[in-house]
Amino acid sequence: MARTVVILGASVTGLPIAHYLLKHTADKVEDLKVIVVAPNTDFYWPIASVRGILPDMLPDDKLFTPIAPSFAQYPAERYELVQGKAEHLDISKNIVEVRENDGSARKIQYDDL
């Protein structure tokens, strides 16, 4: 039975959860798909931000890391990165409505959020 997990946000909590599910749970759950919804294309490392604002302390490529390449290690049918923001959540129907960065609207059906 197919199962879709939607994760809202690609920061210090959302990304590790997505990677954990894809590494350790995908083989145990038939047709598991993890969908990460976030408006950003890069992971921002907030813990390092203090060093990032000081001259010559931390380069931008250490403070901001592209998200997509880290998911390339998983089968493409197991994950999706949706660039946008959640605008509405219908918990009675398990649907999250997302406004994608290009302005289009999308409804995503989920089993777990």
Side-chain angles (χ1 to χ4, degrees):
M1 181 174 155
R3 188 156 197 93
T4 300
V5 176
V6 173
I7 298 172
L8 301 177
S11 191
V12 294
T13 305
L15 287 181
I17 290 170
H19 283 290
Y20 184 88
L21 289 171
L22 290 164
K23 283 182 184 176
H24 302 289
T25 308
D27 292 336
K28 298 175 182 123
V29 177
E30 184 180 340
D31 295 329
L32 175 71
K33 182 164 186 176
V34 176
I35 301 173
V36 177
V37 178
N40 47 312
T41 58
D42 290 347
F43 168 76
Y44 168 62
W45 191 30
I47 298 166
S49 62
V50 174
R51 289 183 289 154
I53 62 171
L54 298 173
D56 301 322
M57 284 294 294
L58 189 68
D60 283 352
D61 65 340
K62 300 292 184 193
L63 194 57
F64 301 96
T65 307
I67 296 169
S70 68
F71 284 90
Q73 63 185 306
Y74 308 114
E77 66 275 4
R78 293 280 194 175
Y79 74 92
E80 183 178 357
L81 301 174
V82 177
Q83 301 295 305
K85 294 180 182 179
E87 289 193 327
H88 180 73
L89 180 62
D90 186 340
I91 58 173
S92 66
K93 296 180 183 174
N94 287 14
I95 293 175
V96 61
E97 295 178 19
V98 175
R99 177 71 54 194
E100 294 190 56
N101 286 355
D102 66 5
S104 63
R106 177 175 173 187
K107 291 183 180 186
I108 302 173
Q109 182 84 38
Y110 64 86
D111 296 294
D112 299 289
L113 180 65

